[in-house]
Structures are given as structure tokens and as C-alpha cells.
Amino acid sequence: MFIHRVVLSACAGLAALAAATTMSSAALAAKYQLNINTALTTDDPIYKGLERLRDRMKERSNGEFEIRIFSGSQLGKDEDVLEQARAGANVAVVVDGGRLAVFVPEFGVLGGPFLASGYDGVRKVVTSPLFDAWAQKLRKASGHEVLSFNWWQGERHLLTNKPVSKPADLAGVRMRTPGAPVWIETIRAMGATPTPMAWAEVYPALQQQAIDAVEAQTPAAYGARLYEVTKHMTKTGHINLITGLVTSAGWFDGLPADMQTALKEEALAAGDFASRTTEEAIGTYEKDMAAKGVTITEIDVTPFREATADVYGKLGYAELKKTIDEMLK
């Protein structure tokens, strides 16, 4: 028995040594490594864009730069990963402006209702000198570096278990939304009761009737199989979900200048790729959801647009909204 245990212990030790050697070899193969976290699933167009970024950086750096992608928030909630980045960790997260607004309030306007039309409209905002100034403020305020902010996930719509055509139809409806003030105020203005909740909790919450509805972009709703727990998708397009790839400024500053340039250029190119892929995929997702029993309805969004018009003023974005409106003319 004793000999048997010694053999097992020796085998375990050798296995651990082999694993450590393999990990060390992998670490030596790449001088630089970035771990990217996203709440989305591996079949989402945004994830496909991250894969493109990974492959392009590996190619461009001759294997010296390695990107690892973690879907389904494996590294933690967005807020947790942002804190890791603040501490200087080699992590990045696909995140919306609302979660950055706690550091620089201007970012919150990106989640405002009916801000711009489609990807082309919102891309104009996030590649402007105005946005660059926000990014510099973020770097100073929180130690975060924006690699690119052109990762468009689509327009957000209402997923409910009853038909909706006007704000009054949402009275008393508990609707999941992210916890940022601009999202909460928008959903409240649309007539529902905003219920902040992590994305991973949405499906069971709908299943258990802890919430009545959710607002989300089509690719994410499809990827999370929300067609199994909702009956209607009303196309309000109330928020144009634009997200960014945000990392640690301290970690980024430790990269060679050519690597910094490559990472930003490839992040922008990958964001465009992911966003265009999203545009192309939405129609397919909608057809599949309809085939699975979801009633998809186009409505006149004017009542919702009018109901949410005061959100910008309530949150102190009135003047900024005017500036953006002028930019988009």
C-alpha cells in the first residue's frame, strides 16, 4: 500500500511538473498577453470580432502577442474586470459607456435613447475628437485605456410575454436593464419598472418570473435563448448599443510603442468587422426567433421617442446631446 501511494504521488508530481513546463513554454512563446472578457456567447458577432483581433495581433507580432478570450463573463462581471484593469492587470473587457460613466460622466450619453441611427451614426460619435477627449479624461480619472469603442451590438428592443405598442403597455412590467443611470431612466421613461440585473441571470429570472421582460439587442437575445422564455419582441430600437474594448492604461503603457499602435489599429478594424457582421446577422436571428414562436412586431416608435426625450435633461446631458446632434447632421 505504501509503495502504491508513493507511485501515485510520484506520478502526480510528474504530471504537475509537466503541466508547469507546458505553461512556462506557452508563457515564453508570447512576450505579451491580454485576457479579454465578454458577457456574450461564442457565436455572437462580437466574439467573432475578438477572434479576428486575436489572430491579427498574433500574426502582426510574429507570435509575441497572445490574446485569450473569455466568453460568458468567465473573468467576472464587467465592473469587476474594470477594477482588475485599474489595478494594472493585463485584462480587457467589452463594456458599454454606462459602466464608464461612474468615472467620466460623458460616457453615459452613449446609452441615451434614440441617440443615433444605426452603426454608421453612432460610429461617427465614437471616432470623433469629442470622444477622444472623453477617453483621455478616463485615462486620468480611472487608469483605463480605450483601445476602440466601435463594437456595435445592435439596437435594443423589448422582449416581453405580452404585446406592446405604446408606453402605457409597460405599466407595472418589471424589465431587466443594466444598472447604469441612463439605462434605468430610459426604461422608466418608457413606462416599465427598471430592474438592474447581471446578463447571466436574465434567463432564469424570466423562467422563474422574477422579472417580466427584458430589453436587449437581437444577437444577445438569440445567443441567450430568450426565445424560450419570452413570446414577443417589439422593435423599439430605443438604444443603439455601442460598446468598447477597455484595458489597463498602466499595462498598455508597458507595451512597446509599435505594439501599442498595432493593438489600437487592430482593435478598431476588428470592431468594424464585428459591427458589420452584426448588421448582416440580425435578419437571420430574427427569422430563427420567429420560427421558434416569437412574434416580432414593427411599431411606430414615436410615442417612445417622445416619452424618453427628457432623459438627457434629467441626467445633465442636454447640452452634450445638442453637440452630438450637430455632429450627426
Side-chain angles (χ1 to χ4, degrees):
M1 178 65 76
F2 175 73
I3 294 174
H4 180 64
R5 286 178 178 171
V6 169
V7 171
L8 286 176
S9 177
C11 289
L14 288 171
L17 179 61
T21 302
T22 301
M23 290 175 66
S24 297
S25 299
L28 289 172
K31 289 184 180 179
Y32 312 100
Q33 186 182 83
L34 180 61
N35 299 313
I36 301 179
N37 191 66
T38 175
L40 301 170
T41 56
T42 57
D43 57 354
D44 192 284
I46 296 297
Y47 189 91
K48 304 303 181 188
L50 294 175
E51 289 182 317
R52 178 188 173 96
L53 173 61
R54 176 197 63 199
D55 297 344
R56 286 290 298 131
M57 283 304 297
K58 181 177 181 180
E59 178 184 341
R60 192 161 168 178
S61 68
N62 294 316
E64 291 190 345
F65 197 104
E66 178 188 20
I67 288 178
R68 297 194 300 172
I69 310 168
F70 296 84
S71 61
S73 298
Q74 293 177 62
L75 298 184
K77 295 188 299 184
D78 291 350
E79 293 85 353
D80 294 340
V81 181
L82 284 172
E83 285 304 310
Q84 294 171 34
R86 289 189 80 183
N90 59 326
V91 296
V93 59
V94 179
V95 67
D96 63 87
R99 288 181 173 86
L100 300 179
V102 297
F103 308 114
V104 176
E106 289 90 334
F107 276 93
V109 77
L110 295 174
F114 304 102
L115 179 71
S117 178
Y119 177 54
D120 289 329
V122 75
R123 188 188 190 280
K124 191 172 182 179
V125 177
V126 298
T127 56
S128 68
L130 177 68
F131 180 86
D132 290 342
W134 303 349
Q136 286 303 311
K137 287 179 69 174
L138 182 70
R139 170 179 260 272
K140 292 177 182 177
S142 65
H144 289 117
E145 178 74 26
V146 176
L147 298 178
S148 70
F149 220 92
N150 61 324
W151 298 72
W152 185 73
Q153 299 187 30
E155 294 177 330
R156 291 173 79 90
H157 305 303
L158 307 180
L159 289 108
T160 62
N161 281 305
K162 68 175 187 177
V164 173
S165 63
K166 56 188 181 300
D169 295 332
L170 294 175
V173 172
R174 297 164 298 174
M175 180 172 291
R176 181 272 176 183
T177 193
V182 67
W183 299 72
I184 291 173
E185 286 301 324
T186 297
I187 298 311
R188 183 177 289 121
M190 290 175 72
T193 301
T195 308
M197 180 182 293
W199 180 248
E201 299 170 10
V202 171
Y203 185 102
L206 285 165
Q207 197 173 41
Q208 297 161 18
Q209 298 183 355
I211 56 175
D212 306 305
V214 61
E215 50 90 33
Q217 66 277 16
T218 306
Y222 184 84
R225 303 175 68 90
L226 297 188
Y227 49 78
E228 296 177 347
V229 286
T230 56
K231 297 177 182 177
H232 296 270
M233 184 169 81
T234 306
K235 297 183 68 174
T236 50
H238 52 280
I239 290 173
N240 229 320
L241 182 55
I242 191 73
T243 51
L245 193 56
V246 178
T247 189
S248 163
W251 171 81
F252 181 82
D253 289 344
L255 296 175
D258 61 335
M259 206 71 79
Q260 292 178 3
T261 299
L263 185 55
K264 284 209 163 188
E265 288 178 353
E266 295 303 335
L268 185 68
D272 280 335
F273 171 82
S275 301
R276 296 304 181 194
T277 302
T278 295
E279 284 182 324
E280 295 168 4
I282 285 175
T284 300
Y285 289 138
E286 288 183 355
K287 287 179 182 177
D288 286 351
M289 289 176 70
K292 295 177 187 300
V294 176
T295 300
I296 299 177
T297 308
E298 300 263 5
I299 63 166
D300 177 8
V301 301
T302 302
F304 289 99
R305 188 185 292 273
E306 292 174 346
T308 58
D310 292 338
V311 168
Y312 291 99
K314 279 186 178 180
L315 296 177
Y317 292 136
E319 291 304 313
L320 186 54
K321 177 64 163 57
K322 289 180 183 177
T323 299
I324 292 173
D325 287 345
E326 286 295 316
M327 182 193 306
L328 295 175
K329 283 184 177 178

